[in-house]
Amino acid sequence: MKPGIHPAYGPVVFRDGAAGFAFLTRSTMTSDRTVEWEDGNTYPVVDVEISSASHPFYTGTARVLDTAGRVERFERRYGRREAR
C-alpha cells in the first residue's frame, strides 16, 4: 500500500441507541466523541441508527410479504401480458 494516502485504522465503538447495544471493532471511521469502554480505555464512539441488535431480520421480527398474491392481484386488475 502507498504510504500517506490511507485513513487511520483503529479501534472504534459503534453504539446503537435504539437497542442500547454497543460493540468495539476496528474501523477507519472517526468521531470527536469518546466513550470509556469495559476494559477501561477510551475510544471514539460512532452512533448508528440500526445494528444487528435492532434490525428486524436479525431479531426475528421481520415480516414475510406475500409476493405471489401481489402478482396475482396485479394480473387480475390489469390482465396478463401477451407473449410475443
Side-chain angles (χ1 to χ4, degrees), residues 5-69:
I5 64 168
H6 299 286
Y9 183 70
V12 177
V13 174
F14 286 92
R15 182 172 53 193
D16 181 357
F21 176 70
F23 58 95
L24 176 66
T25 187
R26 294 178 58 87
S27 177
T28 59
M29 292 191 71
T30 59
S31 177
D32 295 332
R33 292 174 295 174
T34 59
V35 66
E36 187 172 332
W37 192 243
E38 300 160 355
D39 61 3
N41 294 327
T42 302
Y43 299 106
V45 62
V46 176
D47 290 321
V48 294
E49 293 182 20
I50 196 160
S51 70
S52 61
S54 61
H55 193 280
F57 178 79
Y58 294 107
T59 59
T61 59
R63 297 185 325 208
V64 177
L65 297 176
D66 179 22
T67 55

